[in-house]
């Protein structure tokens, strides 16, 4: 039986640790990472330059999950080949 992960979400600072000291990633890449765990226990993450943008993206994803309009990013993509097979 597969272990299920808790549904959780948050925005974290990649450049500083919780105590305020610089992390190993200080100054590298985008500073803020927003992540969440979906119903299938898969973690999704996205990096942002500004904390406001990270929180806004996370709020939009959370709202879509609550309202039932959530589409899994991996399953929401349609390849041209599969589209053509269904169309013809």
């Amino acid at each position: 039986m597969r272990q299920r992960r808790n549904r959780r979400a948050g925005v974290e600072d990649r450049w500083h640790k919780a105590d305020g000291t610089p992390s190993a990633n200080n100054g590298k890449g985008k500073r803020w990472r927003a992540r969440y765990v979906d119903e299938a226990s898969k973690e999704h993450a996205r990096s942002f330059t500004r904390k406001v943008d990270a929180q806004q993206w996370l709020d939009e994803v959370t709202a879509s999950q609550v309202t039932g309009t959530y589409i899994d990013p991996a399953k929401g993509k349609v390849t041209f080949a599969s589209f053509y097979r269904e169309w013809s």
Side-chain angles (χ1 to χ4, degrees):
M1 187 159 117
R2 188 174 148 182
Q3 176 76 21
R4 299 218 24 112
R5 297 177 69 178
N6 292 335
R7 292 192 63 201
R8 62 186 178 281
V11 175
E12 63 183 14
D13 185 354
R14 294 182 56 245
W15 290 1
H16 295 93
K17 298 178 185 177
D19 62 0
T21 59
S23 70
N25 293 324
N26 191 6
K28 299 176 187 172
K30 296 184 180 178
R31 181 172 179 173
W32 300 97
R33 178 170 51 190
R35 30 184 210 167
Y36 67 96
V37 177
D38 63 11
E39 294 95 9
S41 299
K42 183 176 178 190
E43 182 176 293
H44 302 270
R46 190 168 166 194
S47 296
F48 296 89
T49 305
R50 300 182 326 152
K51 184 177 182 180
V52 174
D53 297 333
Q55 189 63 55
Q56 182 180 12
W57 177 78
L58 188 58
D59 291 344
E60 289 173 6
V61 170
T62 305
S64 68
Q65 287 177 333
V66 170
T67 60
T69 59
Y70 174 76
I71 298 173
D72 184 2
K75 294 179 183 176
K77 297 177 183 174
V78 178
T79 63
F80 181 74
S82 65
F83 174 76
Y84 182 74
R85 275 193 305 272
E86 291 179 23
W87 181 68
S88 54

